[in-house]
């Protein structure tokens, strides 16, 4: 992350204003290398349902588009012909509230300047937006639709000159701001106009800039929201003095008004423009981490009083020795439950990059324990180590030696549940990042060590990577048939939901189901996985777990694992129909030592999720499906 570009100041726009200068004023420019529009083209279309004009051009290495869009109309009688500079993104979308011809122009730029030639196309928006109900339904639901910063999207935050889309000076890449307090904040929009803001576990909001010193401790807040039209702009307005996942300046907090730039699937693009700077903000209604690695289990509760690390005394120690030649200790900053480290030099072998916490925590051989920690590295570290051990390293209760393969900017959750203790008076936590590349930043966060008998409200799933997990092969080979049965309140069958399968950075699949219609009762929104072959004997004991989440609050959902083809699905391993979900919550569903209720063998089983009672637009994610057959006890 380039922190030197993240302060709000007028001089930051100098680089962008060079677009208007003659080519010879560019430092290091080669006039012969100025691009042309020869052979360049772009496509433009209009979504008449939302009045969205979208344009895109193929990406070319070393070049970028300069888009010009119509000057905004302030009333039906206006019909400006001029176009204004708007964006340098390869793909743009802009909602126009008023009907009429929309002129879209594009130049091509590179380090040497920009093309003198311009490509221009015209599209027509048929009608002015009169009914805002569609946009309101996209934003909100009766139970509250949850939105948060779309950290998996490029340009989820950016800024530029006033009057633009707010991307001309700087934009964040996917996960670029993971070391700040930005990504766990969320808001809920309710159909009745209610709005709530939640600062996340860290209790902080980013306000007035994009550096750690701009993080402020705040409380959750309840306010109100509204959608309106002003000329060509569709505006999202919150009550005065309302917090948001990112607060650009005091003016935004005092009078929070955003231009609704684009709505599509689960993405909401907003622009806050204070008359000098335009800020580009992308939100998503997908559950937290649904496009990243942290969609699954997030570890035990670091804020629980049962967490021994929360109240322990510790000292930190380091051994940082690239090529076994020890260097000064790395820089470590502590931010709540986060420990942030910076390594300027690469290491090549295990134990060349150790971080140790020497604590006064004690564990006993007569007890079992739960442990979890989150780790994020800015670069790949293929063989990291995590240990929970004695001060002399001779006794360990957790020892993931060289088994933690970190991928750049992808959070990894290390956890162990119910591990056998040992008699250790001063527990030591050891992390080793040997094999890190140059200029690697690592964040260790949410360390938890607790007595397994103390329930902090967290359910740990079975290990997806257990060699006995039969569903892991089903995931890998997509060896299942997917079927749906959705109905209206009168039990008349309706269309299927949207269904998407994606792969997690650390393996496994994420299954996303988005409701296109509202339902009202159990079994009116059935989604069934039927494996190609997964027999279960009547004598088998089966352990099962998965992680389920939803984009909004859901009062009930159902999960059932039963024989495929059995009458009324009554030969079941388990059935639970009272699952409640909070927006964004990652709920672990876990069933241990289950047996077929009909006491007869099943040649195949099927897994059913039912979301009857859901609202249109609700998006569910299912991941880390684990099914382990065991010999009878």
């Amino acid at each position: 992350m380039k922190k030197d570009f993240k302060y709000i100041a007028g001089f930051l726009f100098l680089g962008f204003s060079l677009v208007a200068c003659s080519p010879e004023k560019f430092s290091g420019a080669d006039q012969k290398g100025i691009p042309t529009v020869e052979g360049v083209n772009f496509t433009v279309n209009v979504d008449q349902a939302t009045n969205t004009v979208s344009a895109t051009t193929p990406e070319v290495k070393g070049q970028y588009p300069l888009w010009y869009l119509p000057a905004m109309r302030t009333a039906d009688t206006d019909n400006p012909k001029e176009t204004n500079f708007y964006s340098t993104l390869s793909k743009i979308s802009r909602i126009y509230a008023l009907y009429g011809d929309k002129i879209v122009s594009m130049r091509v730029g590179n380090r040497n300047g920009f093309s003198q030639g311009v490509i221009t196309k015209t599209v027509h928006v048929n009608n002015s937006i009169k009914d805002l109900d569609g946009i309101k339904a996209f934003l909100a639901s009766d139970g509250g639709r949850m939105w948060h910063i779309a950290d998996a999207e490029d340009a989820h935050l950016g800024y530029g000159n006033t009057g633009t889309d707010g991307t001309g000076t700087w934009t964040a890449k996917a996960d670029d701001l993971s070391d700040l307090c930005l990504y766990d904040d969320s808001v809920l929009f309710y159909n009745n106009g209610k709005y709530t803001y939640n600062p996340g576990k860290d209790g902080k909001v980013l306000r007035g800039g994009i550096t750690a010193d701009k993080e402020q401790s705040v409380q959750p807040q309840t306010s109100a929201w509204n959608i309106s039209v002003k000329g060509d702009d569709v505006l999202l307005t919150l009550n005065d003095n309302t917090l948001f996942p990112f607060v650009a300046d005091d003016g935004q907090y005092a009078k929070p008004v955003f231009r609704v730039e684009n709505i599509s699937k689960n993405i909401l693009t907003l622009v806050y423009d204070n008359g000098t700077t335009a800020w580009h903000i992308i939100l998503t209604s997908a559950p937290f981490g649904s496009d990243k690695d942290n969609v699954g289990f997030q570890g035990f509760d670091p804020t629980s009083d049962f967490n021994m690390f929360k109240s322990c005394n510790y000292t930190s120690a380091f051994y940082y020795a690239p090529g076994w030649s020890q260097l000064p200790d790395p820089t470590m900053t502590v931010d709540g439950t986060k420990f942030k480290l910076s390594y300027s030099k690469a290491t090549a072998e295990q134990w060349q990059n150790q971080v140790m916490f020497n604590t006064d925590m004690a564990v006993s051989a007569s007890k079992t324990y739960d442990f979890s920690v989150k780790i994020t590295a800015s670069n790949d570290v293929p063989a990291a180590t995590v240990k929970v051990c004695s001060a002399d390293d001779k006794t360990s209760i957790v020892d993931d030696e060289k088994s933690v393969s970190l991928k750049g900017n992808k959070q990894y959750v290390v956890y162990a549940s119910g591990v056998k203790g040992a008699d250790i008076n001063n527990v030591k936590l050891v992390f080793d990042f040997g094999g890190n590349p140059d200029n690697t930043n690592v964040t260790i966060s949410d360390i938890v060590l607790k007595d397994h008998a103390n329930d902090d409200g967290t359910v740990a799933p079975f290990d997806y990577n257990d060699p006995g997990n039969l569903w892991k092969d089903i995931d890998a080979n997509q060896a299942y048939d997917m079927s749906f049965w959705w109905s209206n309140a009168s039990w008349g069958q309706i269309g299927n939901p949207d269904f998407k399968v994606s792969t997690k950075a650390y393996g496994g699949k994420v299954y996303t189901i988005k409701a296109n219609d509202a339902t009202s009762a159990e079994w009116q929104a059935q989604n069934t996985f039927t494996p190609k072959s997964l027999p279960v004997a009547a004598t088998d004991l089966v352990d099962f777990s998965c992680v389920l989440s939803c984009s909004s609050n859901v009062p009930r959902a159902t999960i059932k694992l039963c024989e495929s083809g059995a009458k009324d699905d009554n030969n079941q391993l388990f059935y639970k129909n009272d699952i409640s979900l909070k927006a964004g919550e990652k709920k672990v569903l876990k069933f241990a030592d289950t047996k077929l209720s009909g006491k007869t063998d099943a040649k195949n089983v099927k897994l059913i999720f039912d979301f009857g009672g859901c609202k249109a637009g609700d998006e569910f994610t299912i991941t880390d499906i684990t099914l382990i057959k065991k010999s009878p006890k």
Side-chain angles (χ1 to χ4, degrees):
M1 183 172 65
K2 298 180 180 178
K3 294 183 178 178
D4 52 325
F5 284 98
K6 292 184 180 166
Y7 291 99
I8 307 171
F11 72 87
L12 288 172
F13 297 106
L14 175 62
F16 179 73
S17 65
L18 287 173
V19 170
C21 300
S22 57
E24 61 268 19
K25 292 185 180 179
F26 281 86
S27 175
D30 178 2
Q31 194 164 1
K32 295 180 181 179
I34 293 174
T36 71
V37 295
E38 184 177 351
V40 177
N41 199 0
F42 70 86
T43 58
V44 61
N45 58 68
V46 182
D47 182 345
Q48 300 291 354
T50 61
N51 283 24
T52 303
V53 175
S54 299
T56 184
T57 187
E59 293 189 24
V60 178
K61 186 176 182 180
Q63 294 186 358
Y64 56 90
L66 292 89
W67 296 103
Y68 297 79
L69 294 184
M72 302 309 293
R73 298 166 63 187
T74 58
D76 283 352
T77 54
D78 291 347
N79 192 18
K81 298 298 184 184
E82 71 272 18
T83 58
N84 295 330
F85 173 77
Y86 179 73
S87 179
T88 57
L89 298 179
S90 60
K91 181 179 181 180
I92 58 169
S93 294
R94 174 74 162 89
I95 294 176
Y96 288 90
L98 299 177
Y99 76 98
D101 289 343
K102 308 298 176 183
I103 301 170
V104 180
S105 300
M106 187 190 76
R107 284 178 166 171
V108 179
N110 65 13
R111 66 182 298 274
N112 298 301
F114 59 89
S115 65
Q116 297 304 305
V118 180
I119 306 171
T120 298
K121 298 185 180 184
T122 301
V123 292
H124 186 77
V125 174
N126 293 340
N127 300 292
S128 296
I129 295 178
K130 302 295 185 184
D131 185 356
L132 294 170
D133 288 348
I135 296 176
K136 291 178 179 179
F138 176 82
L139 282 174
S141 68
D142 288 340
R145 178 154 298 135
M146 187 270 293
W147 295 87
H148 61 96
I149 297 291
D151 45 327
E153 299 285 329
D154 286 341
H156 57 271
L157 194 64
Y159 58 85
N161 282 348
T162 183
T164 70
D165 69 343
T167 63
T169 300
W170 170 85
T171 58
K173 298 294 185 183
D175 297 314
D176 197 21
L177 306 176
S178 58
D179 57 347
L180 298 177
C181 65
L182 188 69
Y183 292 159
D184 67 344
D185 294 29
S186 63
V187 296
L188 286 170
F189 291 96
Y190 293 81
N191 281 340
N192 63 3
K194 178 182 173 182
Y195 166 96
T196 62
Y197 163 80
N198 190 316
K201 282 189 176 181
D202 57 30
K204 296 179 180 180
V205 68
L206 199 59
R207 178 172 177 175
I210 319 177
T211 47
D213 62 321
K214 302 299 182 182
E215 296 179 343
Q216 297 183 13
S217 295
V218 294
Q219 296 297 317
Q221 184 183 25
T222 298
S223 184
W225 68 279
N226 189 35
I227 290 289
S228 62
V229 168
K230 183 178 180 181
D232 242 332
D233 292 331
V234 176
L235 301 177
L236 167 64
T237 302
L238 309 179
N239 280 3
D240 293 352
N241 303 319
T242 294
L243 292 168
F244 199 69
F246 173 71
V247 180
D249 56 25
D250 290 342
Q252 179 193 318
Y253 174 73
K255 298 285 184 182
V257 179
F258 306 88
R259 190 170 76 232
V260 179
E261 207 69 356
N262 183 38
I263 57 174
S264 61
K265 295 183 180 178
N266 57 13
I267 294 294
L268 169 66
T269 304
L270 303 173
V271 173
Y272 164 69
D273 195 327
N274 62 17
T276 302
T277 307
W279 287 89
H280 189 85
I281 305 169
I282 302 179
L283 303 180
T284 180
S285 61
F288 277 107
S290 57
D291 294 319
K292 302 191 307 172
D293 185 63
N294 65 344
V295 66
F297 180 59
Q298 294 297 290
F300 299 97
D301 183 2
T303 66
S304 169
D305 290 339
F306 293 134
N307 178 16
M308 294 187 289
F309 188 78
K310 176 184 174 182
S311 57
C312 79
N313 296 305
Y314 69 86
T315 58
S316 54
F318 307 90
Y319 179 75
Y320 180 36
W324 301 110
S325 177
Q326 189 168 0
L327 296 179
D329 291 346
T331 300
M332 183 171 80
T333 57
V334 181
D335 179 10
T337 62
K338 296 179 181 179
F339 301 88
K340 303 175 182 179
L341 300 122
S342 297
Y343 302 105
S344 58
K345 300 294 183 182
T347 57
E349 298 182 47
Q350 187 186 23
W351 306 127
Q352 288 184 351
N353 190 353
Q354 301 176 45
V355 184
M356 293 156 281
F357 296 89
N358 299 300
T359 81
D360 60 0
M361 294 187 296
V363 294
S364 169
S366 64
K367 297 181 178 181
T368 57
Y369 295 88
D370 297 332
F371 171 77
S372 64
V373 63
K374 299 173 184 175
I375 306 173
T376 305
S378 59
N379 297 307
D380 290 357
V381 182
T385 293
V386 177
K387 291 181 67 175
V388 180
C389 60
S390 58
D392 61 6
D393 298 320
K394 291 182 178 179
T395 305
S396 298
I397 62 172
V398 175
D399 191 352
D400 290 320
E401 190 166 321
K402 296 182 72 174
S403 65
V404 179
S405 179
L406 301 174
K407 298 182 184 295
N409 291 318
K410 299 295 182 182
Q411 178 181 279
Y412 193 111
V413 180
V414 178
Y415 73 94
S417 179
V419 296
K420 182 174 174 53
D423 292 325
I424 303 173
N425 288 326
N426 297 103
V427 170
K428 180 168 70 171
L429 307 179
V430 181
F431 301 88
D432 177 67
F433 304 112
N436 68 280
D438 287 340
N439 300 313
T440 295
N441 298 321
V442 175
T443 299
I444 302 168
S445 63
D446 292 353
I447 299 172
V448 177
L449 180 64
K450 72 177 188 70
D451 186 334
H452 181 70
N454 294 329
D455 183 6
D456 67 353
T458 305
V459 177
F462 294 111
D463 183 5
Y464 178 82
N465 292 310
D466 187 302
N469 179 16
L470 300 177
W471 206 279
K472 187 175 181 179
D473 284 339
I474 294 172
D475 274 351
N477 299 306
Q478 290 292 277
Y480 64 88
D481 294 318
M482 193 71 198
S483 59
F484 306 95
W485 194 88
W486 285 55
S487 78
N488 56 28
S490 301
W491 297 97
Q493 189 169 358
I494 57 178
N496 293 339
D498 294 337
F499 179 69
K500 182 178 72 174
V501 182
S502 56
T503 302
K504 296 167 64 176
Y506 294 105
K509 299 296 183 183
V510 178
Y511 300 99
T512 303
I513 298 169
K514 184 176 181 180
N516 292 317
D517 302 277
T519 58
S520 59
E522 186 183 16
W523 302 125
Q524 290 183 350
Q526 300 177 43
N527 315 271
T528 303
F529 296 82
T530 304
K532 298 295 186 183
S533 177
L534 184 50
V536 174
T539 55
D540 285 338
L541 292 171
V542 174
D543 289 341
F544 177 93
S545 65
C546 68
V547 182
L548 176 66
S549 59
C550 185
S551 58
S552 68
N553 296 331
V554 173
R556 57 132 266 107
T558 294
I559 184 172
K560 185 174 185 177
L561 182 63
C562 60
E563 181 180 0
S564 176
K567 184 179 179 181
D568 297 325
D569 297 332
N570 57 5
N571 191 18
Q572 63 192 35
L573 286 149
F574 57 80
Y575 163 59
K576 183 175 177 62
N577 70 343
D578 59 352
I579 302 164
S580 63
L581 299 170
K582 295 179 181 178
E585 174 190 15
K586 301 170 186 66
K587 175 156 286 189
V588 175
L589 306 179
K590 186 176 182 179
F591 305 87
D593 293 338
T594 65
K595 295 182 73 173
L596 287 164
S597 60
K599 299 181 180 181
T600 58
D601 294 348
K603 293 181 180 179
N604 198 18
V605 294
K606 61 183 178 181
L607 177 61
I608 306 170
F609 293 89
D610 176 73
F611 306 128
C614 67
K615 301 169 290 296
D618 282 353
E619 186 165 294
F620 299 85
T621 60
I622 304 161
T623 192
D624 292 348
I625 301 175
T626 303
L627 191 154
I628 301 169
K629 289 195 296 186
K630 304 179 297 183
S631 299
K633 293 181 179 180

